[in-house]
């Protein structure tokens, strides 16, 4: 669901080796019964436990998915999309790069691109993005533009993993999930920003948004003022006064009025 929660049946959990003794991974939760038995619900990074044993989608299927999704977009008058990759908490950072080389570059070389795309890559791979832009420029053609890097600070409201100041009403003591250490995120953002990459970070809960706004203040203080256009993906729940802070550094509130997901290749990439 929305890229932040998965459901595994008993066979899938057996194959993945998930049982009552399996520890929650950093940045994820295995939902359990009162007897600590896994229910099958896996939140954020916990999904990786099952992703690791799911067979990879073939290159041909991924290529066909791009063409299908592109036609779907054009039928609705959409000619340009921002694709933040198939990278969600718990998935491999390499998948986005494989999609770039195996799907997008293939489609471009074969003259099959139908919509313009602005691509974002997982933030931990920012040196590769910087090197690629240095080597080939930001616009590979009129169809493909290299945008920047993407990271996640919290989860989603639907999976009760968005990071809030107050606990969820139905789960006392549960404030959601912080998916990244703030020092790690700050250092990666500083380096990405120095390299001229646009930075997009997912934040839904009010605490996650405040922590992100505080961090962006530090980045501007350390790296100086420029037209960097930080993006906060979703900016869904804001504490009082937070909205006015977006304008201080020209931060983009990347808001989705209705969360919907394009099928196949682009699924989950609005998240």
């Amino acid at each position: 669901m929305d890229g932040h929660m998965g459901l595994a049946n008993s066979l899938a959990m057996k194959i993945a080796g998930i049982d009552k003794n399996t520890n929650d991974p950093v940045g994820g939760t295995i939902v359990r019964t009162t007897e600590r038995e896994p229910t099958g619900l896996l939140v954020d990074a916990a999904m990786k436990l099952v992703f690791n044993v799911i067979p990879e989608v073939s290159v041909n299927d991924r290529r066909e998915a791009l063409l299908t999704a592109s036609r779907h977009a054009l039928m609705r008058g959409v000619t340009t999309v921002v694709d933040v990759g198939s990278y969600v908490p718990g998935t491999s950072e390499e998948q986005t790069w494989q999609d770039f080389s195996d799907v997008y570059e293939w489609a471009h070389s074969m003259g099959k691109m139908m919509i313009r795309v602005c691509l974002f890559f997982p933030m931990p791979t920012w040196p590769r993005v910087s090197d690629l832009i240095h080597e080939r420029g930001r616009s590979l053609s009129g169809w493909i533009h290299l945008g920047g890097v993407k990271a996640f600070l919290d989860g989603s409201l639907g999976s009760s993993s968005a990071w809030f100041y107050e606990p969820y009403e139905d789960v006392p003591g549960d404030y959601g999930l912080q998916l990244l250490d703030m020092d790690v995120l700050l250092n990666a953002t500083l380096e990405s920003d120095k390299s001229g990459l646009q930075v997009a970070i997912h934040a839904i809960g009010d605490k996650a948004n405040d922590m992100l706004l505080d961090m962006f203040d530090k980045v501007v203080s350390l790296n100086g003022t420029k037209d960097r256009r930080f993006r906060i993906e979703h900016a869904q729940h804001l504490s009082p006064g937070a909205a006015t802070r977006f304008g201080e550094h020209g931060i983009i509130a990347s808001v989705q009025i209705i969360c919907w997901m394009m099928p196949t290749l682009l699924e989950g990439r609005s998240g």
Side-chain angles (χ1 to χ4, degrees), residues 44 60 119 158 164 181 191 195 219 245 247 265:
D44 286 303
N60 287 337
L119 303 179
F164 286 95
D181 177 82
E191 295 304 320
S195 297
V219 173
R245 300 180 62 190
L265 183 71

Side-chain angles (χ1 to χ4, degrees), residues 7-19 38-40 42 49-50 53-54:
L7 177 63
N9 62 20
S10 57
L11 178 58
M13 288 194 291
K14 180 179 179 180
I15 295 171
I18 300 172
D19 57 30
T39 65
L42 305 171
L49 300 173
V50 171
V53 297
I54 296 177

Side-chain angles (χ1 to χ4, degrees), residues 106-118:
W106 165 83
H108 183 257
S109 68
M110 299 296 290
K112 293 181 178 291
M113 289 296 297
M114 291 181 268
I115 58 175
R116 297 177 183 87
V117 294
C118 177

Side-chain angles (χ1 to χ4, degrees), residues 12-271:
M13 288 194 291
K14 180 179 179 180
I15 295 171
I18 300 172
D19 57 30
K20 66 187 329 181
N21 299 314
T22 305
N23 295 324
D24 288 347
V26 176
T29 301
I30 300 171
V31 180
R32 308 170 192 272
T33 66
T34 54
E35 289 77 31
R36 287 192 51 79
E37 292 291 345
T39 65
L41 288 173
L42 305 171
V43 181
D44 286 303
M47 293 186 293
K48 183 177 182 180
L49 300 173
V50 171
F51 285 153
N52 289 339
V53 297
I54 296 177
E56 292 186 4
V57 179
S58 72
V59 172
N60 287 337
D61 283 347
R62 285 157 48 214
R63 289 173 176 173
E64 184 57 36
L66 172 62
L67 303 181
T68 300
S70 297
R71 287 190 290 266
H72 180 86
L74 289 175
M75 287 173 61
R76 287 152 179 79
V78 177
T79 60
T80 304
V81 299
V82 176
D83 183 352
V84 295
S86 54
Y87 174 66
V88 295
T91 61
S92 169
E93 299 160 3
E94 284 301 312
Q95 184 61 61
T96 299
W97 285 95
Q98 290 171 8
D99 284 342
F100 170 65
S101 60
D102 296 343
V103 180
Y104 280 116
E105 290 197 301
W106 165 83
H108 183 257
S109 68
M110 299 296 290
K112 293 181 178 291
M113 289 296 297
M114 291 181 268
I115 58 175
R116 297 177 183 87
V117 294
C118 177
L119 303 179
F120 279 69
F121 297 82
M123 182 179 277
T125 67
W126 70 263
R128 293 173 66 181
V129 186
S130 180
D131 290 345
L132 182 62
I133 291 174
H134 181 74
E135 176 186 343
R136 301 176 59 179
R138 279 196 177 273
S139 292
L140 304 187
S141 70
W143 296 102
I144 301 175
H145 180 79
L146 302 177
V149 292
K150 166 83 182 287
F152 291 82
L153 182 52
D154 68 346
S156 72
L157 192 64
S159 61
S160 300
S161 56
W163 192 19
F164 286 95
Y165 286 110
E166 299 294 332
Y168 287 87
E169 287 189 359
D170 57 339
V171 189
D174 182 4
Y175 296 83
L177 290 175
Q178 178 185 353
L179 301 185
L180 281 177
D181 177 82
M182 291 307 301
D183 288 336
V184 171
L185 184 59
L186 173 61
N187 290 332
T189 302
L190 283 168
E191 295 304 320
S192 299
D193 183 61
K194 287 178 184 177
S195 297
L197 302 176
Q198 187 180 17
V199 173
I201 302 177
H202 165 116
I204 286 184
D206 55 2
K207 185 170 184 178
N209 277 277
D210 280 351
M211 296 293 284
L212 202 47
L213 289 166
D214 290 344
M215 188 198 74
F216 283 154
D217 285 342
K218 293 180 182 178
V219 173
V220 173
S221 175
L222 293 169
N223 283 358
T225 302
K226 63 178 180 179
D227 183 14
R228 48 174 51 90
R229 305 188 189 190
F230 285 137
R231 293 168 54 125
I232 295 183
E233 301 300 316
H234 308 305
Q236 190 168 329
H237 295 275
L238 302 179
S239 60
T244 60
R245 300 180 62 190
F246 280 75
E248 294 175 8
H249 302 305
I251 299 169
I252 297 171
S254 178
V255 178
Q256 292 70 44
I257 303 303
I258 299 177
C259 262
W260 63 280
M261 293 182 285
M262 198 174 285
T264 55
L265 183 71
L266 299 187
E267 184 175 353
R269 295 189 179 183
S270 65

